Amino acid sequence: MKKGSWGEDPELLMENSDHGVIRAMRLQELGVSSTTTYRRCGPNGPWTRLLPGIVLLFNAPPSRDQQIAAAMLYGGESALLTGGEACRIHGLRNVPDTGDEVHLLVPHERKLHNYGFVVVERTQRMPRVITRNGRPLAEVTRATLDVCRRQTEVRPVRALMSEVVQRRFTSVERLSHELAHGSQRGSAVPRLVLAELASGQESIAEIDARRVWQRSGLPEPVWNKKLHDEAGRFVAKPDAWFDDVGLAWEVDSLSFHLQVVDGFDRTLARNGRYAAAGVLVLQTLPSRLRTEPDKVAAELRAAHAAAAARARPNVRIAS
């Protein structure tokens, strides 16, 4: 077989590829005939056909980077990466497992369809583009809701939406606006979680704490509000504050203290301020909210009774 210039220069095709992924049309431009491409993508050939018109220059299962590269070439210049993979590239950690799915957004007039691991969503509301790692991504609010709308379980949606708000990637208000103006398909679970977040909880642990409080039969506390002592000095911002008796409830993560160098010192300083202000504080590990909700509810009732038996400290909620 007579080789073209690509055969004489083995690096030529790789240099024109994205992680070893290339369009069949680009191969033709580099001197690889369609017949050669078809043959080399055969069962025993050195290449792999990943998607229509998209070739991997290896005979091996594609890596995640190669799947993303193939999806972006399949989608074309107007396509954006959204959903779980976009959230990961944005830097979010609590992203639901979406398997090998690569979710693309394309303008509504495009006649592009799902194929293999690529999910194509045609939309009349193309979001603002953020470029990271050389990839065009949907901005984080849209990407978050695009993955959450495809979930049927509440917990992974709580985990992701709590993280994206707590780490200030976006806000409850922006998520609510996007959810209201976007597709309503699959919106029930995100809407439920947004209602929980809007009630004042800032993390998934605090949402779990609200569920445990509901078991306790106690009056509803104030969530995530700053406390000042009688001299106007800052005391703390408890996860929950029972103002009637002056009880603070803190959901303290052990992993936080292990990961953040000064986390333990800050907790000690906070507890010192509580003690100085005469505030009784109950501390609970987040894991126990899920594994021992009834026991934690009983501890909360006991702490509330103990606080009620003492004189209420002169501490007020900051206005």
Side-chain angles (χ1 to χ4, degrees), residues 205-224:
E206 290 165 21
I207 291 171
D208 288 337
R210 185 178 181 85
R211 293 177 180 278
V212 170
W213 157 72
Q214 289 172 333
R215 291 171 180 249
S216 73
L218 296 174
E220 182 170 9
V222 177
W223 303 91
N224 296 300

Side-chain angles (χ1 to χ4, degrees), residues 218 247 280 282 295-308:
L218 296 174
L247 170 67
L280 185 65
L282 174 66
K295 286 185 178 179
V296 175
E299 291 168 6
L300 191 58
R301 287 193 294 271
H304 190 276

Side-chain angles (χ1 to χ4, degrees), residues 76-319:
E77 292 184 358
S78 62
L80 299 182
L81 192 61
T82 191
E85 202 58 52
C87 287
R88 292 185 189 94
I89 297 174
H90 277 302
L92 294 167
R93 296 186 291 266
N94 294 325
V95 182
D97 181 13
T98 55
D100 65 355
E101 175 184 292
V102 181
H103 189 173
L104 299 183
L105 291 177
V106 300
H108 191 266
E109 61 271 17
R110 291 282 308 278
K111 303 302 181 184
L112 195 68
H113 303 286
N114 296 351
Y115 196 97
F117 52 83
V118 181
V119 173
V120 177
E121 182 177 342
R122 296 163 58 225
T123 178
Q124 294 178 338
R125 299 180 63 256
M126 289 293 286
R128 181 168 57 93
V129 181
I130 304 293
T131 301
R132 296 190 187 280
N133 300 343
R135 302 293 184 202
L137 313 178
E139 52 83 21
V140 70
T141 302
R142 177 66 175 272
T144 297
L145 287 174
D146 280 346
V147 67
C148 289
R149 275 190 283 247
R150 299 177 66 81
Q151 304 300 307
T152 57
E153 298 293 327
V154 172
R155 179 161 289 277
V157 174
R158 277 201 194 110
L160 178 58
M161 293 180 72
S162 297
E163 179 189 2
V164 78
V165 171
Q166 190 175 37
R167 294 177 63 194
R168 292 174 170 78
F169 280 83
T170 187
S171 66
V172 171
E173 292 75 20
R174 288 196 293 272
L175 287 165
S176 298
H177 182 271
E178 176 60 39
L179 189 62
H181 290 81
S183 171
Q184 296 307 295
R185 180 179 299 176
S187 65
V189 173
R191 199 176 302 281
L192 172 65
V193 173
L194 272 175
E196 293 175 334
L197 291 173
S199 70
Q201 277 62 66
E202 292 187 343
S203 71
I204 189 169
E206 290 165 21
I207 291 171
D208 288 337
R210 185 178 181 85
R211 293 177 180 278
V212 170
W213 157 72
Q214 289 172 333
R215 291 171 180 249
S216 73
L218 296 174
E220 182 170 9
V222 177
W223 303 91
N224 296 300
K225 296 295 184 181
K226 292 180 180 179
L227 303 178
H228 289 171
D229 65 14
E230 58 185 325
R233 294 178 295 239
F234 172 73
V235 177
K237 184 183 177 184
D239 294 317
W241 171 250
F242 293 86
D243 194 58
D244 56 335
V245 297
L247 170 67
W249 187 22
E250 296 281 5
V251 180
D252 287 330
S253 171
L254 180 63
S255 64
F256 172 80
H257 297 319
L258 294 176
Q259 291 170 11
V260 182
V261 174
D262 62 344
F264 184 64
D265 290 342
R266 289 207 301 268
T267 299
L268 287 179
R270 180 203 69 193
N271 288 352
R273 295 193 302 273
Y274 275 137
V279 173
L280 185 65
V281 56
L282 174 66
Q283 293 176 259
T284 303
L285 287 174
S287 59
R288 295 190 62 227
L289 299 172
R290 298 184 295 275
T291 61
E292 302 176 304
D294 290 329
K295 286 185 178 179
V296 175
E299 291 168 6
L300 191 58
R301 287 193 294 271
H304 190 276
R310 311 186 331 166
R312 185 193 179 285
N314 192 359
V315 174
R316 60 181 174 79
I317 301 168
S319 55

